Amino acid sequence: LVTIGNHAFSECIALKSITLPDTVQTIGVNAFYHNTALESASFGTGLTTIGEDAFYNCRELQTVVFRECDTPLLAIGVNAFAQAVKLETLTFSESLTTIDYGAFAGCTALESVVFPDSLVTITGGGKYTGTNGAFSGCTALKSVKFGSGLRTISNGYNGARTSDPDPYAYSGAFGNCDALETVEFNAGLVTIGNHAFSECIALKSITLPDSVQTIGVNCFYNNIRLTSVSFGANIQEIGQCAFMGCVSLNSVTFSPATTPLLTIKSNAFRNCLCLASLTLSNAMPTIESGAFYGCTMLRRVTIPSLMSTINSGVFSSMSNLKEVIFLGLPPENLENAGLAADVSIRYPSEYAEDWEEVIETCGFTNASVYEPNELAGLVGDSRYG
């Protein structure tokens, strides 16, 4: 047997178990749709395609076995196992390459997922009904471990929000996974797409590998228990509203080796109420206005030496900002950045002459130099010692 066609066993409501031979390559659209008594499914080594809605709404399905094969070709289609509400654990074989949108959406008993090294892409969904992210709404999911081959967690709908809740969270690959506490990202991952982990309200810490370049719109939106984020050396863009509403976030760390290409989009860290200090390290960021709007505890910001220009109004939303430490020459457009006249401005002694005119132009009343041996103490970071 090579092919099981579209709707072949759809609505066979007494069928309880399926074991497929290694010869089967394709399972068609709706092939086992709404088999409400189905408890287990075992797939052979030759399988390359599980079609759209193939096991949709198999509400008794508890066990899914993927047997190993030598050639990774398997693609799991749209909504293939969506609403399998009793599926608790999921370990894939090294045959898997792609998981399409909605594939395991609404599997509300699923507690852990281990992805193989062969997996390259996990897909987000779209704006409209029925286009959920691959694992969105898996409300019992606690841990996720990605394999070394993953390159892309694809975009959900490209809609950014500035108020709770995020109506497009379900379009993210892991949107609305309420119990998700641990995500082990892999070296090699490049893109984390729009809404990917939006409204994951149990996630507490994120450490991104150096390979990650892009974090999408609303990517970690409203993760209210998230306390720390560490970015790798190649981060290039933090999308609009990416960490908005992460009200417990108090530690944001950039690698000292960060490439000078970073853009922090508007509202990226909006309403991160516990964020008290920010050191941008060796990045040369473009910070859009409103990126830190509503960060009411933000008292100190360290500006890297490579930052040559500051966008207008970047600091105007930081009402409680008390100190800005510059590591290099005065950036252009500083007079329009929105800094209050009485903010403490600290600048390096080696550039004192360059700063004198800028201080007068901007009207700063609380500016002073620091010596190189004082820097580590100023920014609270031993990397500058």
Side-chain angles (χ1 to χ4, degrees):
L1 180 63
V2 175
T3 302
I4 300 175
N6 300 341
H7 306 271
F9 296 91
S10 181
E11 306 220 45
C12 293
I13 58 174
L15 190 58
K16 292 184 177 181
S17 178
I18 297 165
T19 301
L20 300 181
D22 293 342
T23 53
V24 172
Q25 299 176 15
T26 302
I27 299 174
V29 173
N30 288 79
F32 297 91
Y33 172 89
H34 198 61
N35 285 9
T36 53
L38 186 65
E39 297 175 354
S40 66
S42 178
F43 303 110
T45 61
L47 190 64
T48 62
T49 303
I50 300 177
E52 182 175 349
D53 294 325
F55 293 87
Y56 182 87
N57 203 35
C58 292
R59 305 184 72 83
E60 295 295 322
L61 186 61
Q62 300 175 35
T63 304
V64 176
V65 177
F66 294 90
R67 296 203 296 279
E68 294 289 347
C69 74
D70 297 329
T71 306
L73 295 170
L74 176 60
I76 299 178
V78 176
N79 295 328
F81 294 90
Q83 306 302 321
V85 296
K86 290 191 176 182
L87 186 61
E88 293 184 359
T89 59
L90 197 56
T91 301
F92 297 99
S93 70
E94 291 292 339
S95 62
L96 181 65
T97 59
T98 304
I99 300 176
D100 215 329
Y101 66 80
F104 295 90
C107 293
T108 53
L110 189 62
E111 294 186 358
S112 67
V113 182
V114 178
F115 294 102
D117 293 340
S118 58
L119 181 66
V120 176
T121 302
I122 299 174
T123 306
K127 180 178 180 180
Y128 302 105
T129 302
T131 55
N132 297 328
F135 290 85
S136 64
C138 293
T139 53
L141 186 63
K142 294 181 179 180
S143 66
V144 171
K145 181 178 181 180
F146 296 114
S148 63
L150 186 66
R151 297 294 177 265
T152 303
I153 301 174
S154 296
N155 286 334
Y157 174 66
N158 187 20
R161 294 288 290 180
T162 56
S163 60
D164 294 335
D166 177 8
Y168 305 121
Y170 271 94
S171 73
F174 295 88
N176 286 102
C177 290
D178 296 347
L180 187 60
E181 296 178 352
T182 305
V183 179
E184 189 173 332
F185 293 100
N186 62 298
L189 180 63
V190 176
T191 301
I192 305 176
N194 302 338
H195 306 270
F197 295 90
S198 183
E199 306 268 7
C200 292
I201 59 175
L203 194 59
K204 294 180 180 179
S205 178
I206 297 166
T207 300
L208 299 175
D210 288 341
S211 56
V212 172
Q213 298 178 13
T214 303
I215 296 174
V217 170
N218 284 63
C219 189
F220 296 95
Y221 178 97
N222 205 33
N223 288 4
I224 58 175
R225 291 181 176 83
L226 185 66
T227 60
S228 66
V229 177
S230 178
F231 297 100
N234 290 299
I235 186 68
Q236 295 181 15
E237 182 174 306
I238 301 174
Q240 186 179 1
C241 301
F243 292 90
M244 178 179 164
C246 295
V247 294
S248 299
L249 185 62
N250 57 47
S251 175
V252 175
T253 304
F254 291 90
S255 167
T258 302
T259 55
L261 297 169
L262 174 61
T263 298
I264 302 176
K265 293 287 191 177
S266 63
N267 298 312
F269 292 90
R270 182 183 177 120
N271 294 340
C272 292
L273 304 180
C274 289
L275 187 61
S277 66
L278 182 68
T279 300
L280 293 170
S281 190
N282 291 331
M284 184 179 68
T286 298
I287 305 175
E288 294 187 357
S289 297
F292 296 93
Y293 180 89
C295 295
T296 55
M297 289 186 65
L298 192 58
R299 302 286 194 271
R300 182 178 63 198
V301 176
T302 302
I303 302 297
S305 58
L306 294 176
M307 191 169 183
S308 59
T309 302
I310 293 180
N311 285 350
S312 297
V314 163
F315 297 108
S316 60
S317 62
M318 303 181 193
S319 57
N320 291 308
L321 186 63
K322 303 299 182 186
E323 183 178 41
V324 181
I325 302 166
F326 292 88
L327 303 185
L329 291 164
E332 295 181 8
N333 199 42
L334 188 58
E335 66 273 18
N336 298 316
L339 285 171
D342 61 347
V343 168
S344 175
I345 302 294
R346 304 299 303 273
Y347 56 91
S349 58
E350 60 183 307
Y351 302 122
E353 292 185 8
D354 300 280
W355 273 94
E356 287 176 0
E357 183 179 348
V358 173
I359 290 168
E360 184 177 352
T361 300
C362 295
F364 295 133
T365 60
N366 188 15
S368 60
V369 299
Y370 63 82
E371 299 299 330
N373 61 354
E374 298 178 281
L375 182 57
L378 282 176
V379 302
D381 192 330
S382 60
R383 293 175 298 180
Y384 295 95

